[in-house]
C-alpha cells in the first residue's frame, strides 16, 4: 500500500488551518459534501501541492439489503478522478433500510448471510470505482445477536472475498471495547494487516459510562494506546486525525498530530 | 498612542464591560468604543469580530465562514459576546448580526452617558432651535424690507442670526468635543499603526478605517491579509444594503446619523481616513459605516 504519512480530515471550517498546519502529509474529504463541478479552492490547492486527497464516503450503505446506489458510487468515482485520489473508502455498515435513512452508520449482524450481502455490494461498487476501496470498522452501541463470526473474522473474510483494503479506526475499536467489551488485540490479530490502507484516530467523550465517538473532543490517551497496539504489529501506511466539530486552535490540532507521530515512532 | 498601549484585559478584571480593549489611561476609551465613535455600530462590530479573530477565538475559512475556536477564550466586551453568539456565519453576516444586536445600542448609550456622543434628544432640540433661528433670520430680512429699515440693520441682524445658526449646527453634531478628540486620537494612532506591524496595530487600523476602508490606496482587508473570497462576503452585503442586508445595520447606524458618525471637523476629510466612506462593511452607501467620510 502507498505510504501516506500522517494526515487530518479536511473540513470547510478549518480549511486554512489544514493548509498551514505543519506535517500534514495527506487529507481526507467527506465525499457527500463535495461536488465535482465546484471543488473547494482549498482542496484543489492541497491536491496541486501534491498532498493526497482521499474521498471518504458515508452513504454507500454497503451492508444494506438493497443493491448499492450506482449514482452514489459514480459520484465517489468521479471525485476520486477529479482529486487524483489513490483510493476511496466507506464503512462496513448500513445507513438505509426499507427506504429509510437512519442517518447513522449502523453495525451489521456478523452472520454469513449478512457477509454475503456485503460482499456482493462491495464487488458491485468496486466494478464502478477507478481506484481501490478501503472499508472501515464502525463504532456500535449495540451488537446483533447470533453472530457467526467475530468482528476480526468478519473483516478477514470480507478482505479475502473482495480484495478490499482496510481502514481501521482505532477510536471505534476503543469505543467497542469500552462499550461492548470487544477484544481489541484479538481483532488486530485476526484481520489481514497487510491490507491496511490507513488508520483513523478521533476524539470522544465518556458520558454516563458510555464512550461516545464524537469527533468533537480531544483524542484520549486510551485511543492512542490502541494505535500503539496496532503499531506493534504493523507500520501503518497512513494515520489520519478526524475532527468534525468544536475545532480547537491550530496549535492544539498540531499537538494531536504530533502525538500520533510520537506513537508511530 | 492607543496602538502602543493596548493591553488585553483578562475577563472579569475590569468593572466596565466596554473596557476590553482599553486605550491609554488618560482617555479611558477602548478601541472598540473609539471604533464606534468613528464608524458607528458597523465599525464597532467589525472591530469586535476582528479582535476575536486576532486573539484566536474565531477562525475564518477561505470562503469567509467565521466559526468559533474551541477554547476557554472569554469575550471581553458585550459586543464580542454577541459576536461569539452569532457564529458560525459568513464574516459579513457576523458583522451585521453584531451591529444589529442590542449590545451595540447599549454601547451607544454608554458613550452618551460618558459624554462622548450627543444624545438624540439633545440633537433634535438643537436642530429644532437652529431651524427656528434660520426662519427668524429670513423673516427678519422680509420684515426689514417691509418696514423699510436701513439695509445695514436688516443685513446685520440676518448675518448675526445665521452665525448663531452655524454655531448651533456645530453643537448639533453627533459627537461631543471629547468624542471628537477621541476620534482624532484614534486617527493619530492609526497613522502610527501603519508603520508598526503587530496585532494591536492591525486592530487600530480596523477601528480607524474599517475592513473595506482604504489606507494608502489599498483596501484594509488586503493589507491585513484577508482573502478576497472572505472580503467578498462584506461586499455582497454592502450591495444589498438597500434591500434586506441593511435592515439591522442601517437601523443601528441610523441612530448615529449618516453624515457624522465620525464627528471630526471637516478639515479631517482631506486625510486618507476620509476615503473610507462607505467603508465599514455595514456601510454600503456610507450611511452607516461611512462615518469617516462624512465628516
Ligand atoms: Fe473513522
Amino acid at each position: 500500500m502507498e505510504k501516506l504519512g500522517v494526515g487530518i480530515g479536511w473540513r470547510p471550517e478549518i480549511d486554512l488551518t489544514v493548509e498551514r498546519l505543519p506535517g500534514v502529509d495527506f487529507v481526507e474529504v467527506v465525499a457527500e459534501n463535495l461536488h465535482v463541478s465546484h471543488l473547494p479552492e482549498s482542496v484543489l490547492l492541497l491536491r496541486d501541492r501534491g498532498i493526497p486527497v482521499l474521498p471518504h464516503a458515508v452513504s454507500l450503505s454497503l451492508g444494506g439489503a438493497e443493491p448499492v446506489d450506482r449514482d452514489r458510487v459514480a459520484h465517489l468515482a468521479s471525485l476520486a478522478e477529479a482529486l487524483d485520489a489513490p483510493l476511496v473508502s466507506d464503512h462496513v455498515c448500513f445507513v438505509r433500510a426499507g427506504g429509510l435513512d437512519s442517518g447513522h452508520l449502523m453495525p451489521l449482524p456478523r452472520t454469513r448471510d449478512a457477509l454475503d450481502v456485503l460482499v456482493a455490494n462491495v464487488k458491485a461498487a468496486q466494478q464502478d470505482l477507478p481506484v481501490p476501496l478501503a472499508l472501515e470498522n464502525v463504532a456500535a452501541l449495540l451488537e446483533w445477536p447470533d453472530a457467526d463470526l467475530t468482528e476480526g473474522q468478519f473483516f478477514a473474510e470480507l478482505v479475502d472475498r473482495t480484495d478490499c483494503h482496510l481502514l481501521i479506526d482505532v477510536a471505534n475499536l476503543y469505543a467497542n471495547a469500552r462499550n461492548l467489551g470487544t477484544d481489541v488485540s484479538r481483532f488486530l490479530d485476526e484481520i489481514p494487516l497487510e491490507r491496511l490502507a490507513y488508520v483513523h484516530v478521533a476524539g470522544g467523550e465518556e458520558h454516563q459510562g458510555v464512550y461516545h465517538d464524537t469527533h468533537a473532543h480531544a483524542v484520549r490517551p486510551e485511543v492512542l494506546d490502541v494505535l500503539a497496539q496496532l503499531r506493534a504489529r504493523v507500520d501503518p501506511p497512513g494515520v489520519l486525525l478526524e475532527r468534525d466539530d468544536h475545532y480547537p486552535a491550530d496549535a492544539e490540532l498540531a499537538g494531536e498530530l504530533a502525538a500520533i507521530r510520537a506513537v508511530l515512532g | 498612542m492607543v496602538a502602543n498601549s493596548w493591553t488585553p484585559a483578562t475577563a472579569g478584571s475590569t468593572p466596565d464591560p466596554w473596557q476590553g480593549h482599553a486605550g491609554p489611561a488618560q482617555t479611558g476609551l477602548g478601541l472598540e468604543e473609539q471604533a464606534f465613535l468613528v464608524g458607528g455600530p458597523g465599525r464597532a462590530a467589525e472591530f469586535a469580530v476582528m479582535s476575536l479573530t486576532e486573539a484566536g477565538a474565531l477562525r475564518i475559512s477561505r470562503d469567509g465562514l467565521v466559526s468559533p475556536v474551541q477554547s476557554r477564550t472569554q469575550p471581553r466586551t458585550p459586543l464580542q459576546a454577541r459576536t461569539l453568539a452569532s457564529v458560525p456565519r459568513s464574516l459579513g453576516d457576523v458583522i451585521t448580526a453584531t451591529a444589529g444586536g442590542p449590545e451595540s445600542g447599549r454601547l451607544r448609550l454608554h458613550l452618551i452617558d460618558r459624554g462622548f456622543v450627543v444624545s438624540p434628544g439633545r440633537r433634535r432640540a438643537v436642530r429644532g432651535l437652529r431651524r427656528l433661528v434660520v426662519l427668524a433670520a429670513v423673516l427678519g430680512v422680509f420684515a426689514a424690507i417691509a418696514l423699510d429699515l436701513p439695509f445695514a440693520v436688516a443685513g446685520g441682524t440676518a448675518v448675526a442670526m445665521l452665525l448663531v445658526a452655524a454655531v448651533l449646527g456645530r453643537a448639533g453634531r453627533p459627537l461631543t468635543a471629547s468624542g471628537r478628540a477621541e476620534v482624532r486620537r484614534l486617527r493619530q494612532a492609526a497613522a502610527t499603526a501603519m508603520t508598526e506591524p503587530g496585532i494591536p496595530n492591525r486592530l487600530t487600523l480596523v477601528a480607524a478605517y474599517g475592513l473595506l476602508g482604504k489606507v494608502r490606496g489599498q483596501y484594509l482587508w488586503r493589507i491585513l491579509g484577508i482573502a478576497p473570497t472572505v472580503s467578498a462576503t462584506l461586499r455582497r452585503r454592502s450591495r444589498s444594503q438597500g434591500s434586506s442586508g441593511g435592515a439591522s445595520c442601517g437601523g443601528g447606524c441610523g441612530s448615529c446619523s449618516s453624515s457624522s458618525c465620525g464627528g471630526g471637523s471637516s478639515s479631517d476629510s482631506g486625510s486618507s481616513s476620509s476615503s473610507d466612506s462607505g467603508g465599514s462593511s455595514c456601510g454600503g452607501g456610507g450611511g452607516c459605516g461611512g462615518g469617516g467620510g462624512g465628516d
Side-chain angles (χ1 to χ4, degrees):
Chain A
M1 201 61 229
E2 179 179 344
K3 188 78 188 163
L4 292 166
V6 174
I8 186 168
W10 181 94
R11 306 288 181 259
E13 294 90 336
I14 54 168
D15 55 359
L16 291 168
T17 294
V18 172
E19 287 170 32
R20 66 182 167 233
L21 271 181
V24 171
D25 304 319
F26 73 110
V27 299
E28 188 184 68
V29 291
V30 177
E32 284 77 5
N33 294 347
L34 297 189
H35 301 274
V36 176
S37 54
H38 41 274
L39 292 168
E41 190 186 348
S42 172
V43 168
L44 295 175
L45 186 144
L46 290 166
R47 178 199 67 184
D48 295 345
R49 266 190 213 165
I51 293 189
V53 180
L54 312 187
H56 181 55
V58 295
S59 69
L60 292 187
S61 198
L62 292 165
E66 299 103 71
V68 185
D69 183 341
R70 297 195 65 170
D71 289 345
R72 290 177 195 269
V73 179
H75 171 70
L76 188 56
S78 57
L79 206 52
E81 271 168 353
L83 295 172
D84 256 335
L87 76 154
V88 295
S89 57
D90 200 323
H91 303 80
V92 171
C93 72
F94 69 95
V95 293
R96 282 178 302 280
L100 292 175
D101 200 321
S102 78
H104 290 282
L105 306 174
M106 303 293 287
L108 300 183
R110 289 194 305 272
T111 62
R112 296 258 164 220
D113 291 346
L115 184 60
D116 289 345
V117 170
L118 173 66
V119 165
N121 283 339
V122 169
K123 282 182 171 171
Q126 283 171 323
Q127 273 191 349
D128 292 341
L129 289 171
V131 292
L133 174 67
L135 292 171
E136 177 180 353
N137 58 306
V138 297
L141 289 175
L142 60 93
E143 277 196 298
W144 300 98
D146 306 323
D148 298 330
L149 305 159
T150 63
E151 195 177 10
Q153 291 165 342
F154 195 83
F155 270 81
E157 279 223 22
L158 172 66
V159 170
D160 196 44
R161 291 172 61 182
T162 64
D163 209 28
C164 71
H165 291 265
L166 291 175
L167 166 49
I168 298 304
D169 188 317
V170 290
N172 291 348
L173 280 185
Y174 170 73
N176 288 354
R178 177 75 189 70
N179 299 334
L180 304 172
T182 56
D183 185 340
V184 169
S185 59
R186 182 169 177 188
F187 176 86
L188 293 174
D189 287 340
E190 286 175 344
I191 58 171
L193 283 168
E194 67 280 4
R195 297 295 292 172
L196 181 61
Y198 63 111
V199 174
H200 272 175
V201 173
E205 182 188 44
E206 191 157 317
H207 191 61
Q208 292 181 333
V210 178
Y211 177 80
H212 295 269
D213 180 48
T214 60
H215 296 195
H217 296 82
V219 176
R220 293 164 70 106
E222 298 92 322
V223 170
L224 291 177
D225 287 346
V226 177
L227 179 64
Q229 284 187 59
L230 180 141
R231 175 66 186 91
R233 290 166 170 81
V234 68
D235 185 11
V239 180
L240 183 126
L241 174 66
E242 293 185 289
R243 182 81 182 218
D244 294 333
D245 205 357
H246 297 148
Y247 303 99
D250 291 13
E252 207 167 305
L253 289 173
E256 296 212 309
L257 293 179
I260 288 171
R261 239 175 243 287
V263 172
L264 296 178
Chain B
M1 287 291 98
V2 170
N4 298 332
S5 60
W6 185 90
T7 40
T10 44
S13 68
T14 45
D16 184 338
W18 301 104
Q19 285 303 302
H21 297 278
Q26 64 268 27
T27 78
L29 272 202
L31 278 172
E32 190 178 280
E33 295 160 307
Q34 291 182 325
F36 189 99
L37 295 178
V38 172
R43 182 70 57 79
E46 273 188 14
F47 181 83
V49 174
M50 292 312 296
S51 60
L52 285 167
T53 305
E54 298 277 345
L58 294 175
R59 57 159 56 87
I60 307 180
S61 79
R62 230 170 222 288
D63 53 6
L65 179 69
V66 181
S67 58
V69 172
Q70 187 68 20
S71 66
R72 283 177 295 278
T73 307
Q74 295 296 315
R76 292 175 181 143
T77 69
L79 217 52
Q80 286 186 338
R82 165 62 48 187
T83 300
L84 289 174
S86 307
V87 293
R89 272 185 222 212
S90 80
L91 178 60
D93 289 348
V94 175
I95 291 168
T96 305
T98 304
E103 292 80 3
S104 76
R106 288 212 293 276
L107 172 55
R108 185 181 154 65
L109 289 177
H110 159 84
L111 289 169
I112 291 173
D113 283 350
R114 294 197 56 193
F116 293 99
V117 173
V118 180
S119 77
R122 205 185 129 195
R123 288 187 63 205
R124 265 196 306 275
V126 169
R127 277 202 299 269
L129 190 58
R130 183 167 175 243
R131 254 179 244 119
L132 276 179
V133 170
V134 172
L135 187 66
V138 171
L139 287 177
V141 170
F142 278 119
I145 292 168
L147 297 174
D148 212 13
L149 291 176
F151 178 77
V153 174
T157 308
V159 166
M161 284 182 140
L162 288 174
L163 276 175
V164 170
V167 169
L168 284 174
R170 286 181 72 84
R173 286 175 300 178
L175 298 188
T176 64
S178 37
R180 290 193 298 277
E182 284 296 325
V183 168
R184 278 194 297 278
R185 216 165 270 138
L186 175 62
R187 295 221 161 114
Q188 278 160 16
T192 311
M194 277 307 289
T195 60
E196 295 170 18
I199 287 175
N201 290 348
R202 288 160 62 87
L203 290 176
T204 303
L205 293 175
V206 173
Y209 303 123
L211 291 174
L212 285 174
K214 274 191 170 176
V215 185
R216 295 184 186 165
Q218 257 206 318
Y219 286 114
L220 182 57
W221 56 262
R222 203 178 274 285
I223 293 172
L224 296 181
I226 292 172
T229 39
V230 175
S231 70
T233 68
L234 303 171
R235 289 208 191 94
R236 251 198 315 276
R237 210 165 33 74
S238 294
R239 288 202 191 107
S240 66
Q241 169 93 358
S243 50
S244 57
S248 59
C249 177
C253 300
S255 63
C256 181
S257 123
S258 62
S259 66
S260 41
C261 282
S265 68
S266 56
S267 61
D268 279 356
S269 64
S271 72
S272 65
S273 63
S274 68
S275 64
D276 66 344
S277 60
S280 114
S281 62
C282 125
C288 156
D295 53 5

